Amino acid sequence: MRPRERRETSEQDLFRSRLDQIIDMKHALVKLARTIDWGFLEQTFGAVYTDKPGQPPLPTRLMAGLAILKHSYDLSDEALCDRWVENPYFQYFCGEEFFQHALVFDRSSLTRWRQRMGEDKLKALLQESLAVATRTEAMKPSDLACVVIDTTVQPKAVMFPTDAKLLNRARERLVRLTKKLGVSLRQSYARVGKLALIKHQRYAHAHQFKRANRSLRKLKTYLGRVIRDIERRIVRNEDLREAFVRPLFLARRVLEQERRQRGRKVYSLHAPEVECIGKGKAHRPYEFGVKVSVATTVKHSAGGQFVTHATALPGNPYDGHTLATVIPQMQALIGNILHRCITDAGYRGHNAPPDHKFKVYTSGQKRRVTPQIKHEFKRRAAIEPVIGHLKEHHRMGRNYLAHASGDAINAVLAAAGYNFRRLLAWLRFLLLRILIALDLAAQLKLA
């Protein structure tokens, strides 16, 4: 079924006060709630539902509002639920008319809603944030014509991978699964495996690498024995073979991969999509997650530096080879033609679409550079603090959403949360200007 959308009814209750009677209607969240085009979001997100019979889903304004609040204020799902019950402004923003003393949704509903919408539908939140910025004059539509594009790494919530840890963890996961399914093993190697891992870590810390490698070989032996033992015991049972297909496949990859091998490697057993990405940082040579493309306006708008596009790029592609995907997506999102794209030197030899081949300018470029473009090159570094804010305050610094789809969803929601946070600051600033103007007018009357 389609969700039963909420509409303002102006109903009264003898025993409860309406939220608009107990909160400050000049609050930035209240103004933002009135500025957002909830009808556009209901139409976009409602396209994934059908008219088949069943329990109606939760209202779009409630779920979209929760997604905005979560990434605007850097809250986990659990913390968001706690804050929603305590905060009347959060409830008003999500469409409630009366104060609710208990959750009207389940925490797992947030996960299911994100998965149902997916990256493509959730881009509507980013699109609406830019539309609100233009409606409130925080940004001019012409500011979207010139953008700065850069890439960063969105780390996954995984343990720092080492060969010894992965080998031991693969063995532990297989042993745990055999106990769950009632498969008896000759030996689980639980005690000696843990001891070998501890010895490897101590020897490596003491730079006794021959002894460390000896412990590493033991861990490989234990994992190989467990894999072969499981294969012998499930050979005639089709149900067990199906249950062990993926765990055994990952365990074999961990066992066979070498330290300096080319190609894809397993860096985490619960998130095998994780990639090792090196961005040349001295303090963090390698990061484990997915590459993300971020674009902002060249001009610093009245409301600040807004993010115009964000998308995950699995496979760790070369930066310059991402423009063929990023530029068409950005134009479809903002509904505007890009006149100029400013990038760093990592985009040399790019594969931008033919219409934009000569609209992309990289740092250090000499040809076709006018004084205006030279001035815009000085604004290229403005994207760096934006990426810093996305990571530090809007949940891009550590992604807790599962699978490759979670990487894409988190990148889009982080960008939307950043924009809405800029809009909240802009609306507070506008209110302050109005109050100062009223105060000055009152003083002039008294004078």
Side-chain angles (χ1 to χ4, degrees):
M1 288 184 68
R2 293 183 179 275
R4 294 175 182 170
E5 306 297 357
R6 290 176 174 170
R7 298 291 181 265
E8 194 167 335
T9 61
S10 301
E11 291 181 355
Q12 298 294 332
D13 193 310
L14 182 62
F15 302 102
R16 294 186 299 173
S17 297
R18 290 178 56 83
L19 281 174
D20 54 13
Q21 296 174 354
I22 62 176
I23 63 176
D24 180 12
M25 299 305 289
K26 296 179 181 178
H27 192 276
L29 268 178
V30 176
K31 291 193 170 187
L32 181 61
R34 291 181 167 183
T35 311
I36 293 175
D37 185 359
W38 298 106
F40 165 73
L41 297 180
E42 290 170 4
Q43 182 180 0
T44 304
F45 296 143
V48 303
Y49 299 104
T50 60
D51 292 324
K52 294 181 180 179
Q55 183 179 0
L58 292 167
T60 298
R61 177 167 177 178
L62 173 64
M63 303 310 297
L66 289 170
I68 292 170
L69 293 171
K70 172 184 171 68
H71 285 267
S72 296
Y73 291 95
D74 190 13
L75 301 172
S76 64
D77 288 350
E78 293 82 1
L80 176 64
C81 293
D82 295 339
R83 286 277 295 273
W84 192 89
V85 174
E86 299 168 355
N87 196 322
Y89 292 99
F90 277 25
Q91 295 188 16
Y92 182 87
F93 185 79
C94 293
E96 296 293 336
E97 291 190 279
F98 298 95
F99 186 78
Q100 302 291 339
H101 296 274
L103 283 175
V104 296
F105 59 93
D106 188 70
R107 184 191 61 80
S108 59
S109 301
L110 297 168
T111 302
R112 290 194 294 270
W113 186 80
R114 284 192 298 260
Q115 291 173 347
R116 170 169 282 191
M117 293 303 132
E119 178 192 10
D120 292 337
K121 296 298 180 184
L122 289 173
K123 284 181 179 178
L125 293 176
L126 182 56
Q127 189 175 6
E128 181 60 20
S129 68
L130 297 174
V132 172
T134 55
R135 283 199 293 268
T136 58
E137 298 182 355
M139 178 181 63
K140 297 177 181 178
S142 59
D143 294 347
L144 296 170
C146 297
V147 297
V148 182
I149 305 175
D150 200 2
T151 59
T152 185
V153 180
Q154 179 179 252
K156 197 83 167 182
V158 298
M159 177 177 59
F160 188 87
T162 62
D163 291 339
K165 286 181 182 177
L166 286 171
L167 290 166
N168 189 61
R169 181 58 60 87
R171 180 193 58 77
E172 289 177 344
R173 286 167 64 94
L174 288 176
V175 170
R176 193 183 308 125
L177 185 58
T178 56
K179 289 182 179 179
K180 181 180 178 181
L181 299 177
V183 178
S184 60
L185 296 176
R186 288 183 357 184
Q187 189 174 349
S188 66
Y189 302 96
R191 182 180 59 84
V192 292
K194 182 179 179 181
L195 183 61
L197 176 63
I198 293 172
K199 283 186 175 181
H200 176 274
Q201 291 172 334
R202 289 176 176 175
Y203 289 144
H205 180 70
H207 288 207
Q208 299 177 9
F209 295 114
K210 287 187 178 180
R211 291 176 173 175
N213 289 333
R214 194 179 307 136
S215 297
L216 185 65
R217 287 195 295 272
K218 284 185 179 180
L219 289 168
K220 286 189 174 184
T221 301
Y222 299 152
L223 177 58
R225 287 177 181 176
V226 170
I227 291 174
R228 291 189 293 273
D229 195 5
I230 292 173
E231 289 175 341
R232 285 192 296 267
R233 295 179 187 277
I234 66 174
V235 66
R236 293 184 181 88
N237 193 322
E238 199 63 34
D239 294 336
L240 288 177
R241 286 181 62 185
E242 186 177 350
F244 277 98
V245 165
R246 182 174 174 79
L248 284 175
F249 172 72
L250 289 176
R252 288 195 203 96
R253 284 185 61 186
V254 169
L255 183 62
E256 295 168 1
Q257 66 189 15
E258 298 295 333
R259 183 177 180 184
R260 301 186 184 280
Q261 77 175 36
R262 288 285 188 178
R264 295 294 300 273
K265 294 179 65 176
V266 176
Y267 296 101
S268 174
L269 290 162
H270 78 272
E273 71 275 4
V274 166
E275 300 157 354
C276 179
I277 302 172
K279 297 291 284 185
K281 301 176 185 176
H283 65 288
R284 197 174 296 166
Y286 299 101
E287 295 177 277
F288 299 92
V290 67
K291 183 177 283 190
V292 173
S293 173
V294 180
T296 68
T297 55
V298 171
K299 184 178 178 182
H300 187 279
S301 306
Q305 202 86 13
F306 287 92
V307 176
T308 60
H309 183 259
T311 186
L313 303 167
N316 190 15
Y318 168 62
D319 288 359
H321 294 167
T322 63
L323 293 182
T325 304
V326 169
I327 290 178
Q329 288 183 1
M330 197 185 316
Q331 290 193 146
L333 181 70
I334 64 179
N336 198 355
I337 301 297
L338 295 177
H339 295 317
R340 195 171 297 126
C341 301
I342 306 297
T343 63
D344 60 15
Y347 284 81
R348 289 176 181 170
H350 57 78
N351 64 344
D355 295 344
H356 294 81
K357 186 174 181 181
F358 298 106
K359 295 180 182 179
V360 179
Y361 294 85
T362 59
S363 296
Q365 182 173 331
K366 301 299 182 184
R367 294 182 179 180
R368 301 182 294 109
V369 177
T370 63
Q372 174 66 24
I373 297 173
K374 284 184 179 179
H375 177 72
E376 291 177 354
F377 272 142
K378 296 179 181 179
R379 292 283 306 159
R380 194 214 64 80
I383 196 173
E384 302 299 343
V386 172
I387 292 174
H389 284 298
L390 286 171
K391 289 190 170 186
E392 187 68 22
H393 304 297
H394 301 283
R395 305 189 69 77
M396 193 183 278
R398 194 168 178 84
N399 177 27
Y400 294 90
L401 305 186
H403 311 303
S405 59
D407 295 332
I409 289 170
N410 194 71
V412 174
L413 289 177
Y418 169 85
N419 284 352
F420 281 113
R421 193 63 181 268
R422 295 303 314 152
L423 288 169
L424 287 171
W426 170 247
L427 293 172
R428 290 193 199 99
F429 174 69
L430 285 182
L431 177 61
L432 182 61
R433 287 178 60 183
I434 292 171
L435 292 176
I436 292 174
L438 292 174
D439 185 48
L440 288 175
Q443 292 179 7
L444 289 173
K445 284 184 180 180
L446 291 175

